[in-house]
Amino acid sequence: MQDAKIDIKSMLPEELSALLSDMGQPSYRAKQLFSWLSRDAGSFDEMSDLSKELRAKLSEKCFVYAPKVLRKQVSALDGTIKYLWELEDGNAVETVVMRYRHGNTVCISTEVGCRMGCAFCASTLGGLVRVLTPSEMFSEVIASERDSGLSISNIVLMGIGEPLDNYENVIRFLQLINHPQGRNIGMRHISLSTCGLVDGIDALAALDLQLTLSVSLHAPDDETRSRIMPANRACGVEKLMEACRRYYEKTQRRISFEYIMIDGVNDSDRQAKLLASLVKPIGGHVNLIPLNHVEERALKPSSPERIAAFQKVLEQKGVNVTVRRSLGGDVDASCGQLRRKAGK
Ligand code: SAH
């Protein structure tokens, strides 16, 4: 049973060293092993510079997690690729590879489903099934890279799930993907998006990583935010903004605030002014996102005119603001459209 075996793709080189030395092996083998795992080796048999005996010993103790592609869709509009991976237990999650001029970016899922309940998002329909392991997240990046033949330079944790609701595994994933002996993707090339879990933001601040924190704000007042984002009911906007300030003061990294534009819900000039008063003092950047269509949801995107007017209010208040271009719309790969699917 794989359950009883060690998930070797979730292990850091230092841990591989300890494992190997317990097996009477020299520690430099850990480097070789980690390098294979970081290139998405699918089994120990592929690791041709390790002896047959060692490979056999390793496969007695450990398993190499290797996801299967259940479906691959390529957008005819912009070349965005959406993968549906089958996990070992039959669950499935989606990963999106986006091609930008500044480099290829992979958007990964962090959980099977989500328990945050946001009123506009497809990922939370059906709730949370389980969190993803570090190796599953690691593989989303390296298996996408291997299958697509594209080199990935940026990672966004903006797929299915709430990364700060799976904190330990997400941090380990970051250590795996960032490790100089492996994929070595710099923290400055990684963005983590959260619906605003205050304890998680504080824990992340304490680590002082150089990644970009994105906060899905979507409303500047508690009445609206609690209505569309149930997670807000626990803390409220004020406590969230205080955590953002602490994060900014500790890391000196500008926070990006995501703001979906929903017709008649959060797109008034009054809300734009309130939003400006929240983000301006901490130098936050605002990313306006026209609502993407989710079949089960009745909400509508704001009109382009309303978005432009909202943007203008923010600009007049001196806030740095951009409107997000949507990619992969024809294959339902845009923000909020990713959903859990049954595997088998
Ligand atoms: N749970 C994290 C990570 C998911 S990120 C978070 O909430 O940030 C996915 C991003 O897409 C979030 O900013 C989310 O609010 C946004 N999103 C969700 N549904 C959307 C929709 N229908 N249209 C546009 N963006 C959406």
Side-chain angles (χ1 to χ4, degrees), residues 67-74 80-87 91-97 143-144 147 160 330-333 337-343:
K68 279 185 238 96
V69 182
L70 265 185
R71 197 181 60 216
K72 177 180 179 181
Q73 291 166 279
V74 183
T80 296
I81 306 172
K82 183 165 85 167
Y83 287 104
L84 180 67
W85 304 107
E86 183 177 60
L87 311 177
N91 277 301
V93 290
E94 294 183 317
T95 304
V96 179
V97 181
S144 298
D147 182 89
I160 302 166
D330 58 336
V331 291
D332 280 351
Q337 294 182 321
L338 302 188
R339 57 179 76 215
R340 176 175 73 81
K341 302 230 170 42

PDB file of all heavy atoms in Angstrom, residues 67-74 80-87 91-97 143-144 147 160 330-333 337-343:
ATOM      1  N   PRO A  67       1.306  12.372 -11.090  1.00  0.00           N
ATOM      2  CA  PRO A  67      -0.092  12.530 -11.480  1.00  0.00           C
ATOM      3  C   PRO A  67      -0.321  12.113 -12.928  1.00  0.00           C
ATOM      4  O   PRO A  67       0.602  12.149 -13.744  1.00  0.00           O
ATOM      5  CB  PRO A  67      -0.321  14.036 -11.335  1.00  0.00           C
ATOM      6  CG  PRO A  67       1.021  14.637 -11.571  1.00  0.00           C
ATOM      7  CD  PRO A  67       2.034  13.655 -11.083  1.00  0.00           C
ATOM      8  N   LYS A  68      -1.547  11.730 -13.219  1.00  0.00           N
ATOM      9  CA  LYS A  68      -1.893  11.403 -14.608  1.00  0.00           C
ATOM     10  C   LYS A  68      -2.719  12.541 -15.196  1.00  0.00           C
ATOM     11  O   LYS A  68      -3.547  13.131 -14.512  1.00  0.00           O
ATOM     12  CB  LYS A  68      -2.738  10.126 -14.636  1.00  0.00           C
ATOM     13  CG  LYS A  68      -1.908   8.860 -14.536  1.00  0.00           C
ATOM     14  CD  LYS A  68      -2.811   7.647 -14.708  1.00  0.00           C
ATOM     15  CE  LYS A  68      -2.745   6.722 -13.543  1.00  0.00           C
ATOM     16  NZ  LYS A  68      -3.502   6.590 -12.457  1.00  0.00           N
ATOM     17  N   VAL A  69      -2.484  12.811 -16.483  1.00  0.00           N
ATOM     18  CA  VAL A  69      -3.303  13.835 -17.146  1.00  0.00           C
ATOM     19  C   VAL A  69      -4.636  13.198 -17.515  1.00  0.00           C
ATOM     20  O   VAL A  69      -4.684  12.268 -18.303  1.00  0.00           O
ATOM     21  CB  VAL A  69      -2.630  14.344 -18.455  1.00  0.00           C
ATOM     22  CG1 VAL A  69      -3.490  15.434 -19.098  1.00  0.00           C
ATOM     23  CG2 VAL A  69      -1.237  14.858 -18.196  1.00  0.00           C
ATOM     24  N   LEU A  70      -5.706  13.709 -16.902  1.00  0.00           N
ATOM     25  CA  LEU A  70      -7.036  13.186 -17.259  1.00  0.00           C
ATOM     26  C   LEU A  70      -7.566  13.914 -18.477  1.00  0.00           C
ATOM     27  O   LEU A  70      -8.262  13.356 -19.297  1.00  0.00           O
ATOM     28  CB  LEU A  70      -8.018  13.444 -16.113  1.00  0.00           C
ATOM     29  CG  LEU A  70      -8.249  12.348 -15.098  1.00  0.00           C
ATOM     30  CD1 LEU A  70      -9.348  12.787 -14.136  1.00  0.00           C
ATOM     31  CD2 LEU A  70      -8.651  11.039 -15.749  1.00  0.00           C
ATOM     32  N   ARG A  71      -7.266  15.222 -18.528  1.00  0.00           N
ATOM     33  CA  ARG A  71      -7.701  16.012 -19.675  1.00  0.00           C
ATOM     34  C   ARG A  71      -6.778  17.203 -19.839  1.00  0.00           C
ATOM     35  O   ARG A  71      -6.306  17.776 -18.861  1.00  0.00           O
ATOM     36  CB  ARG A  71      -9.134  16.506 -19.447  1.00  0.00           C
ATOM     37  CG  ARG A  71      -9.800  16.977 -20.732  1.00  0.00           C
ATOM     38  CD  ARG A  71     -11.213  17.483 -20.480  1.00  0.00           C
ATOM     39  NE  ARG A  71     -11.173  18.593 -19.553  1.00  0.00           N
ATOM     40  CZ  ARG A  71     -12.096  18.822 -18.625  1.00  0.00           C
ATOM     41  NH1 ARG A  71     -13.114  18.013 -18.482  1.00  0.00           N
ATOM     42  NH2 ARG A  71     -11.984  19.852 -17.828  1.00  0.00           N
ATOM     43  N   LYS A  72      -6.530  17.561 -21.090  1.00  0.00           N
ATOM     44  CA  LYS A  72      -5.699  18.738 -21.371  1.00  0.00           C
ATOM     45  C   LYS A  72      -6.451  19.570 -22.398  1.00  0.00           C
ATOM     46  O   LYS A  72      -6.824  19.062 -23.444  1.00  0.00           O
ATOM     47  CB  LYS A  72      -4.359  18.266 -21.938  1.00  0.00           C
ATOM     48  CG  LYS A  72      -3.419  19.379 -22.352  1.00  0.00           C
ATOM     49  CD  LYS A  72      -2.128  18.774 -22.904  1.00  0.00           C
ATOM     50  CE  LYS A  72      -1.163  19.829 -23.361  1.00  0.00           C
ATOM     51  NZ  LYS A  72       0.076  19.235 -23.922  1.00  0.00           N
ATOM     52  N   GLN A  73      -6.700  20.841 -22.081  1.00  0.00           N
ATOM     53  CA  GLN A  73      -7.401  21.714 -23.022  1.00  0.00           C
ATOM     54  C   GLN A  73      -6.501  22.894 -23.346  1.00  0.00           C
ATOM     55  O   GLN A  73      -5.859  23.450 -22.447  1.00  0.00           O
ATOM     56  CB  GLN A  73      -8.694  22.240 -22.395  1.00  0.00           C
ATOM     57  CG  GLN A  73      -9.750  21.179 -22.189  1.00  0.00           C
ATOM     58  CD  GLN A  73     -10.854  21.683 -21.261  1.00  0.00           C
ATOM     59  OE1 GLN A  73     -10.717  21.685 -20.051  1.00  0.00           O
ATOM     60  NE2 GLN A  73     -11.954  22.140 -21.843  1.00  0.00           N
ATOM     61  N   VAL A  74      -6.470  23.275 -24.612  1.00  0.00           N
ATOM     62  CA  VAL A  74      -5.652  24.414 -25.018  1.00  0.00           C
ATOM     63  C   VAL A  74      -6.573  25.487 -25.581  1.00  0.00           C
ATOM     64  O   VAL A  74      -7.378  25.210 -26.475  1.00  0.00           O
ATOM     65  CB  VAL A  74      -4.598  23.997 -26.063  1.00  0.00           C
ATOM     66  CG1 VAL A  74      -3.708  25.185 -26.427  1.00  0.00           C
ATOM     67  CG2 VAL A  74      -3.743  22.839 -25.543  1.00  0.00           C
ATOM     68  N   THR A  80      -3.531  29.420 -23.644  1.00  0.00           N
ATOM     69  CA  THR A  80      -3.588  28.976 -22.242  1.00  0.00           C
ATOM     70  C   THR A  80      -3.886  27.478 -22.208  1.00  0.00           C
ATOM     71  O   THR A  80      -4.727  26.991 -22.959  1.00  0.00           O
ATOM     72  CB  THR A  80      -4.707  29.757 -21.505  1.00  0.00           C
ATOM     73  OG1 THR A  80      -4.357  31.136 -21.493  1.00  0.00           O
ATOM     74  CG2 THR A  80      -4.902  29.263 -20.085  1.00  0.00           C
ATOM     75  N   ILE A  81      -3.168  26.759 -21.343  1.00  0.00           N
ATOM     76  CA  ILE A  81      -3.394  25.311 -21.242  1.00  0.00           C
ATOM     77  C   ILE A  81      -4.039  25.024 -19.891  1.00  0.00           C
ATOM     78  O   ILE A  81      -3.570  25.516 -18.855  1.00  0.00           O
ATOM     79  CB  ILE A  81      -2.064  24.525 -21.317  1.00  0.00           C
ATOM     80  CG1 ILE A  81      -1.281  24.905 -22.581  1.00  0.00           C
ATOM     81  CG2 ILE A  81      -2.323  23.012 -21.286  1.00  0.00           C
ATOM     82  CD1 ILE A  81       0.125  24.320 -22.607  1.00  0.00           C
ATOM     83  N   LYS A  82      -5.091  24.219 -19.909  1.00  0.00           N
ATOM     84  CA  LYS A  82      -5.680  23.806 -18.634  1.00  0.00           C
ATOM     85  C   LYS A  82      -5.543  22.294 -18.502  1.00  0.00           C
ATOM     86  O   LYS A  82      -5.963  21.545 -19.372  1.00  0.00           O
ATOM     87  CB  LYS A  82      -7.145  24.215 -18.546  1.00  0.00           C
ATOM     88  CG  LYS A  82      -7.760  23.847 -17.192  1.00  0.00           C
ATOM     89  CD  LYS A  82      -9.088  24.543 -16.939  1.00  0.00           C
ATOM     90  CE  LYS A  82     -10.244  23.784 -17.556  1.00  0.00           C
ATOM     91  NZ  LYS A  82     -11.548  24.281 -17.057  1.00  0.00           N
ATOM     92  N   TYR A  83      -4.925  21.866 -17.391  1.00  0.00           N
ATOM     93  CA  TYR A  83      -4.770  20.433 -17.110  1.00  0.00           C
ATOM     94  C   TYR A  83      -5.760  20.006 -16.047  1.00  0.00           C
ATOM     95  O   TYR A  83      -5.986  20.731 -15.070  1.00  0.00           O
ATOM     96  CB  TYR A  83      -3.382  20.142 -16.551  1.00  0.00           C
ATOM     97  CG  TYR A  83      -2.278  20.224 -17.567  1.00  0.00           C
ATOM     98  CD1 TYR A  83      -1.429  21.327 -17.594  1.00  0.00           C
ATOM     99  CD2 TYR A  83      -2.081  19.212 -18.501  1.00  0.00           C
ATOM    100  CE1 TYR A  83      -0.406  21.414 -18.532  1.00  0.00           C
ATOM    101  CE2 TYR A  83      -1.064  19.289 -19.434  1.00  0.00           C
ATOM    102  CZ  TYR A  83      -0.235  20.388 -19.447  1.00  0.00           C
ATOM    103  OH  TYR A  83       0.767  20.466 -20.373  1.00  0.00           O
ATOM    104  N   LEU A  84      -6.311  18.829 -16.223  1.00  0.00           N
ATOM    105  CA  LEU A  84      -7.041  18.173 -15.139  1.00  0.00           C
ATOM    106  C   LEU A  84      -6.199  16.966 -14.753  1.00  0.00           C
ATOM    107  O   LEU A  84      -5.974  16.059 -15.559  1.00  0.00           O
ATOM    108  CB  LEU A  84      -8.437  17.755 -15.616  1.00  0.00           C
ATOM    109  CG  LEU A  84      -9.309  17.055 -14.571  1.00  0.00           C
ATOM    110  CD1 LEU A  84      -9.693  18.009 -13.436  1.00  0.00           C
ATOM    111  CD2 LEU A  84     -10.585  16.496 -15.216  1.00  0.00           C
ATOM    112  N   TRP A  85      -5.686  16.957 -13.535  1.00  0.00           N
ATOM    113  CA  TRP A  85      -4.827  15.870 -13.051  1.00  0.00           C
ATOM    114  C   TRP A  85      -5.622  14.888 -12.222  1.00  0.00           C
ATOM    115  O   TRP A  85      -6.410  15.308 -11.372  1.00  0.00           O
ATOM    116  CB  TRP A  85      -3.707  16.404 -12.147  1.00  0.00           C
ATOM    117  CG  TRP A  85      -2.845  17.438 -12.743  1.00  0.00           C
ATOM    118  CD1 TRP A  85      -2.845  18.775 -12.446  1.00  0.00           C
ATOM    119  CD2 TRP A  85      -1.822  17.246 -13.737  1.00  0.00           C
ATOM    120  NE1 TRP A  85      -1.888  19.425 -13.190  1.00  0.00           N
ATOM    121  CE2 TRP A  85      -1.250  18.518 -13.989  1.00  0.00           C
ATOM    122  CE3 TRP A  85      -1.332  16.141 -14.436  1.00  0.00           C
ATOM    123  CZ2 TRP A  85      -0.213  18.703 -14.905  1.00  0.00           C
ATOM    124  CZ3 TRP A  85      -0.307  16.334 -15.345  1.00  0.00           C
ATOM    125  CH2 TRP A  85       0.241  17.593 -15.573  1.00  0.00           C
ATOM    126  N   GLU A  86      -5.353  13.634 -12.416  1.00  0.00           N
ATOM    127  CA  GLU A  86      -5.943  12.633 -11.536  1.00  0.00           C
ATOM    128  C   GLU A  86      -4.982  12.351 -10.391  1.00  0.00           C
ATOM    129  O   GLU A  86      -3.819  12.009 -10.599  1.00  0.00           O
ATOM    130  CB  GLU A  86      -6.225  11.340 -12.288  1.00  0.00           C
ATOM    131  CG  GLU A  86      -6.906  10.325 -11.386  1.00  0.00           C
ATOM    132  CD  GLU A  86      -7.276   9.053 -12.118  1.00  0.00           C
ATOM    133  OE1 GLU A  86      -6.359   8.397 -12.650  1.00  0.00           O
ATOM    134  OE2 GLU A  86      -8.459   8.729 -12.161  1.00  0.00           O
ATOM    135  N   LEU A  87      -5.472  12.511  -9.167  1.00  0.00           N
ATOM    136  CA  LEU A  87      -4.661  12.240  -7.984  1.00  0.00           C
ATOM    137  C   LEU A  87      -4.773  10.758  -7.635  1.00  0.00           C
ATOM    138  O   LEU A  87      -5.639  10.056  -8.153  1.00  0.00           O
ATOM    139  CB  LEU A  87      -5.148  13.118  -6.822  1.00  0.00           C
ATOM    140  CG  LEU A  87      -5.333  14.613  -7.150  1.00  0.00           C
ATOM    141  CD1 LEU A  87      -5.875  15.357  -5.943  1.00  0.00           C
ATOM    142  CD2 LEU A  87      -4.013  15.234  -7.605  1.00  0.00           C
ATOM    143  N   ASN A  91      -9.421  11.614  -6.805  1.00  0.00           N
ATOM    144  CA  ASN A  91      -9.842  13.015  -6.929  1.00  0.00           C
ATOM    145  C   ASN A  91      -9.117  13.650  -8.105  1.00  0.00           C
ATOM    146  O   ASN A  91      -8.149  13.082  -8.630  1.00  0.00           O
ATOM    147  CB  ASN A  91      -9.510  13.787  -5.648  1.00  0.00           C
ATOM    148  CG  ASN A  91     -10.572  13.606  -4.582  1.00  0.00           C
ATOM    149  OD1 ASN A  91     -11.739  13.936  -4.805  1.00  0.00           O
ATOM    150  ND2 ASN A  91     -10.189  13.048  -3.453  1.00  0.00           N
ATOM    151  N   ALA A  92      -9.568  14.832  -8.494  1.00  0.00           N
ATOM    152  CA  ALA A  92      -8.914  15.515  -9.606  1.00  0.00           C
ATOM    153  C   ALA A  92      -8.893  17.015  -9.351  1.00  0.00           C
ATOM    154  O   ALA A  92      -9.836  17.556  -8.791  1.00  0.00           O
ATOM    155  CB  ALA A  92      -9.659  15.204 -10.901  1.00  0.00           C
ATOM    156  N   VAL A  93      -7.808  17.658  -9.740  1.00  0.00           N
ATOM    157  CA  VAL A  93      -7.728  19.123  -9.631  1.00  0.00           C
ATOM    158  C   VAL A  93      -7.179  19.718 -10.921  1.00  0.00           C
ATOM    159  O   VAL A  93      -6.550  19.026 -11.724  1.00  0.00           O
ATOM    160  CB  VAL A  93      -6.831  19.615  -8.461  1.00  0.00           C
ATOM    161  CG1 VAL A  93      -7.480  19.333  -7.119  1.00  0.00           C
ATOM    162  CG2 VAL A  93      -5.438  19.044  -8.550  1.00  0.00           C
ATOM    163  N   GLU A  94      -7.402  21.032 -11.056  1.00  0.00           N
ATOM    164  CA  GLU A  94      -6.990  21.718 -12.279  1.00  0.00           C
ATOM    165  C   GLU A  94      -5.771  22.620 -12.048  1.00  0.00           C
ATOM    166  O   GLU A  94      -5.585  23.184 -10.976  1.00  0.00           O
ATOM    167  CB  GLU A  94      -8.159  22.554 -12.810  1.00  0.00           C
ATOM    168  CG  GLU A  94      -9.318  21.672 -13.255  1.00  0.00           C
ATOM    169  CD  GLU A  94     -10.484  22.439 -13.867  1.00  0.00           C
ATOM    170  OE1 GLU A  94     -10.865  23.494 -13.338  1.00  0.00           O
ATOM    171  OE2 GLU A  94     -11.018  21.962 -14.877  1.00  0.00           O
ATOM    172  N   THR A  95      -4.984  22.742 -13.104  1.00  0.00           N
ATOM    173  CA  THR A  95      -3.815  23.625 -13.135  1.00  0.00           C
ATOM    174  C   THR A  95      -3.868  24.376 -14.458  1.00  0.00           C
ATOM    175  O   THR A  95      -4.238  23.789 -15.477  1.00  0.00           O
ATOM    176  CB  THR A  95      -2.510  22.798 -13.117  1.00  0.00           C
ATOM    177  OG1 THR A  95      -2.506  21.944 -11.969  1.00  0.00           O
ATOM    178  CG2 THR A  95      -1.266  23.676 -13.084  1.00  0.00           C
ATOM    179  N   VAL A  96      -3.497  25.649 -14.448  1.00  0.00           N
ATOM    180  CA  VAL A  96      -3.552  26.434 -15.684  1.00  0.00           C
ATOM    181  C   VAL A  96      -2.168  26.993 -16.007  1.00  0.00           C
ATOM    182  O   VAL A  96      -1.498  27.536 -15.123  1.00  0.00           O
ATOM    183  CB  VAL A  96      -4.575  27.596 -15.548  1.00  0.00           C
ATOM    184  CG1 VAL A  96      -4.612  28.439 -16.816  1.00  0.00           C
ATOM    185  CG2 VAL A  96      -5.966  27.047 -15.227  1.00  0.00           C
ATOM    186  N   VAL A  97      -1.744  26.837 -17.261  1.00  0.00           N
ATOM    187  CA  VAL A  97      -0.471  27.418 -17.696  1.00  0.00           C
ATOM    188  C   VAL A  97      -0.777  28.587 -18.632  1.00  0.00           C
ATOM    189  O   VAL A  97      -1.443  28.415 -19.654  1.00  0.00           O
ATOM    190  CB  VAL A  97       0.409  26.388 -18.444  1.00  0.00           C
ATOM    191  CG1 VAL A  97       1.741  27.017 -18.859  1.00  0.00           C
ATOM    192  CG2 VAL A  97       0.652  25.152 -17.582  1.00  0.00           C
ATOM    193  N   ALA A 143       5.075  18.796 -13.450  1.00  0.00           N
ATOM    194  CA  ALA A 143       4.444  17.927 -14.449  1.00  0.00           C
ATOM    195  C   ALA A 143       3.857  18.770 -15.587  1.00  0.00           C
ATOM    196  O   ALA A 143       3.869  18.348 -16.751  1.00  0.00           O
ATOM    197  CB  ALA A 143       3.366  17.060 -13.807  1.00  0.00           C
ATOM    198  N   SER A 144       3.377  19.975 -15.276  1.00  0.00           N
ATOM    199  CA  SER A 144       2.892  20.875 -16.341  1.00  0.00           C
ATOM    200  C   SER A 144       4.055  21.246 -17.248  1.00  0.00           C
ATOM    201  O   SER A 144       3.931  21.316 -18.473  1.00  0.00           O
ATOM    202  CB  SER A 144       2.337  22.182 -15.764  1.00  0.00           C
ATOM    203  OG  SER A 144       1.247  21.944 -14.938  1.00  0.00           O
ATOM    204  N   ASP A 147       5.058  18.132 -19.322  1.00  0.00           N
ATOM    205  CA  ASP A 147       4.099  17.785 -20.368  1.00  0.00           C
ATOM    206  C   ASP A 147       4.035  18.844 -21.467  1.00  0.00           C
ATOM    207  O   ASP A 147       3.974  18.516 -22.651  1.00  0.00           O
ATOM    208  CB  ASP A 147       2.692  17.611 -19.776  1.00  0.00           C
ATOM    209  CG  ASP A 147       1.700  17.195 -20.846  1.00  0.00           C
ATOM    210  OD1 ASP A 147       1.554  15.983 -21.068  1.00  0.00           O
ATOM    211  OD2 ASP A 147       1.098  18.083 -21.504  1.00  0.00           O
ATOM    212  N   ILE A 160      -7.751  26.301  -7.415  1.00  0.00           N
ATOM    213  CA  ILE A 160      -8.771  25.845  -6.473  1.00  0.00           C
ATOM    214  C   ILE A 160      -8.196  25.798  -5.056  1.00  0.00           C
ATOM    215  O   ILE A 160      -7.083  25.299  -4.845  1.00  0.00           O
ATOM    216  CB  ILE A 160      -9.249  24.433  -6.861  1.00  0.00           C
ATOM    217  CG1 ILE A 160      -9.812  24.433  -8.285  1.00  0.00           C
ATOM    218  CG2 ILE A 160     -10.278  23.906  -5.858  1.00  0.00           C
ATOM    219  CD1 ILE A 160     -10.005  23.040  -8.870  1.00  0.00           C
ATOM    220  N   ASP A 330     -12.297  30.512 -23.088  1.00  0.00           N
ATOM    221  CA  ASP A 330     -13.001  29.486 -23.880  1.00  0.00           C
ATOM    222  C   ASP A 330     -12.838  28.084 -23.310  1.00  0.00           C
ATOM    223  O   ASP A 330     -13.543  27.165 -23.712  1.00  0.00           O
ATOM    224  CB  ASP A 330     -12.561  29.538 -25.359  1.00  0.00           C
ATOM    225  CG  ASP A 330     -11.059  29.353 -25.540  1.00  0.00           C
ATOM    226  OD1 ASP A 330     -10.302  29.642 -24.591  1.00  0.00           O
ATOM    227  OD2 ASP A 330     -10.635  28.917 -26.622  1.00  0.00           O
ATOM    228  N   VAL A 331     -11.903  27.896 -22.387  1.00  0.00           N
ATOM    229  CA  VAL A 331     -11.770  26.569 -21.760  1.00  0.00           C
ATOM    230  C   VAL A 331     -12.058  26.647 -20.250  1.00  0.00           C
ATOM    231  O   VAL A 331     -11.616  25.808 -19.473  1.00  0.00           O
ATOM    232  CB  VAL A 331     -10.380  25.911 -22.034  1.00  0.00           C
ATOM    233  CG1 VAL A 331     -10.264  25.532 -23.502  1.00  0.00           C
ATOM    234  CG2 VAL A 331      -9.220  26.816 -21.622  1.00  0.00           C
ATOM    235  N   ASP A 332     -12.820  27.677 -19.849  1.00  0.00           N
ATOM    236  CA  ASP A 332     -13.168  27.877 -18.428  1.00  0.00           C
ATOM    237  C   ASP A 332     -11.937  27.810 -17.529  1.00  0.00           C
ATOM    238  O   ASP A 332     -11.933  27.145 -16.493  1.00  0.00           O
ATOM    239  CB  ASP A 332     -14.175  26.808 -17.961  1.00  0.00           C
ATOM    240  CG  ASP A 332     -15.596  27.155 -18.390  1.00  0.00           C
ATOM    241  OD1 ASP A 332     -15.797  28.275 -18.883  1.00  0.00           O
ATOM    242  OD2 ASP A 332     -16.475  26.297 -18.240  1.00  0.00           O
ATOM    243  N   ALA A 333     -10.886  28.518 -17.956  1.00  0.00           N
ATOM    244  CA  ALA A 333      -9.644  28.491 -17.174  1.00  0.00           C
ATOM    245  C   ALA A 333      -9.408  29.815 -16.464  1.00  0.00           C
ATOM    246  O   ALA A 333      -8.356  30.047 -15.903  1.00  0.00           O
ATOM    247  CB  ALA A 333      -8.466  28.174 -18.090  1.00  0.00           C
ATOM    248  N   GLN A 337     -13.228  30.092 -12.201  1.00  0.00           N
ATOM    249  CA  GLN A 337     -13.936  29.091 -13.011  1.00  0.00           C
ATOM    250  C   GLN A 337     -13.423  27.668 -12.790  1.00  0.00           C
ATOM    251  O   GLN A 337     -13.985  26.722 -13.328  1.00  0.00           O
ATOM    252  CB  GLN A 337     -13.829  29.448 -14.503  1.00  0.00           C
ATOM    253  CG  GLN A 337     -14.556  30.737 -14.853  1.00  0.00           C
ATOM    254  CD  GLN A 337     -14.491  31.054 -16.325  1.00  0.00           C
ATOM    255  OE1 GLN A 337     -13.460  30.849 -16.962  1.00  0.00           O
ATOM    256  NE2 GLN A 337     -15.582  31.558 -16.868  1.00  0.00           N
ATOM    257  N   LEU A 338     -12.321  27.549 -12.027  1.00  0.00           N
ATOM    258  CA  LEU A 338     -11.770  26.211 -11.809  1.00  0.00           C
ATOM    259  C   LEU A 338     -12.617  25.467 -10.793  1.00  0.00           C
ATOM    260  O   LEU A 338     -13.081  26.024  -9.818  1.00  0.00           O
ATOM    261  CB  LEU A 338     -10.322  26.298 -11.307  1.00  0.00           C
ATOM    262  CG  LEU A 338      -9.353  27.035 -12.213  1.00  0.00           C
ATOM    263  CD1 LEU A 338      -7.934  26.885 -11.690  1.00  0.00           C
ATOM    264  CD2 LEU A 338      -9.441  26.561 -13.638  1.00  0.00           C
ATOM    265  N   ARG A 339     -12.787  24.200 -11.051  1.00  0.00           N
ATOM    266  CA  ARG A 339     -13.616  23.424 -10.128  1.00  0.00           C
ATOM    267  C   ARG A 339     -13.081  22.013  -9.997  1.00  0.00           C
ATOM    268  O   ARG A 339     -12.409  21.487 -10.873  1.00  0.00           O
ATOM    269  CB  ARG A 339     -15.066  23.419 -10.586  1.00  0.00           C
ATOM    270  CG  ARG A 339     -15.262  22.885 -12.014  1.00  0.00           C
ATOM    271  CD  ARG A 339     -16.713  22.884 -12.399  1.00  0.00           C
ATOM    272  NE  ARG A 339     -17.237  24.205 -12.714  1.00  0.00           N
ATOM    273  CZ  ARG A 339     -18.480  24.590 -12.437  1.00  0.00           C
ATOM    274  NH1 ARG A 339     -19.304  23.779 -11.820  1.00  0.00           N
ATOM    275  NH2 ARG A 339     -18.902  25.787 -12.780  1.00  0.00           N
ATOM    276  N   ARG A 340     -13.453  21.431  -8.881  1.00  0.00           N
ATOM    277  CA  ARG A 340     -13.086  20.057  -8.589  1.00  0.00           C
ATOM    278  C   ARG A 340     -13.876  19.154  -9.512  1.00  0.00           C
ATOM    279  O   ARG A 340     -15.033  19.414  -9.818  1.00  0.00           O
ATOM    280  CB  ARG A 340     -13.486  19.791  -7.140  1.00  0.00           C
ATOM    281  CG  ARG A 340     -13.299  18.430  -6.635  1.00  0.00           C
ATOM    282  CD  ARG A 340     -13.642  18.455  -5.156  1.00  0.00           C
ATOM    283  NE  ARG A 340     -15.061  18.583  -4.911  1.00  0.00           N
ATOM    284  CZ  ARG A 340     -15.918  17.593  -4.957  1.00  0.00           C
ATOM    285  NH1 ARG A 340     -15.500  16.381  -5.270  1.00  0.00           N
ATOM    286  NH2 ARG A 340     -17.190  17.769  -4.697  1.00  0.00           N
ATOM    287  N   LYS A 341     -13.246  18.076  -9.950  1.00  0.00           N
ATOM    288  CA  LYS A 341     -13.992  17.129 -10.773  1.00  0.00           C
ATOM    289  C   LYS A 341     -13.723  15.742 -10.217  1.00  0.00           C
ATOM    290  O   LYS A 341     -12.664  15.498  -9.650  1.00  0.00           O
ATOM    291  CB  LYS A 341     -13.510  17.173 -12.223  1.00  0.00           C
ATOM    292  CG  LYS A 341     -13.642  18.547 -12.842  1.00  0.00           C
ATOM    293  CD  LYS A 341     -14.333  18.501 -14.178  1.00  0.00           C
ATOM    294  CE  LYS A 341     -14.697  19.860 -14.726  1.00  0.00           C
ATOM    295  NZ  LYS A 341     -13.700  20.908 -14.571  1.00  0.00           N
ATOM    296  N   ALA A 342     -14.663  14.881 -10.396  1.00  0.00           N
ATOM    297  CA  ALA A 342     -14.418  13.509  -9.973  1.00  0.00           C
ATOM    298  C   ALA A 342     -13.451  12.890 -10.965  1.00  0.00           C
ATOM    299  O   ALA A 342     -13.531  13.176 -12.167  1.00  0.00           O
ATOM    300  CB  ALA A 342     -15.720  12.733  -9.951  1.00  0.00           C
ATOM    301  N   GLY A 343     -12.510  12.104 -10.481  1.00  0.00           N
ATOM    302  CA  GLY A 343     -11.524  11.505 -11.369  1.00  0.00           C
ATOM    303  C   GLY A 343     -12.123  10.359 -12.153  1.00  0.00           C
ATOM    304  O   GLY A 343     -12.588  10.523 -13.274  1.00  0.00           O
TER     305      GLY A 343
END
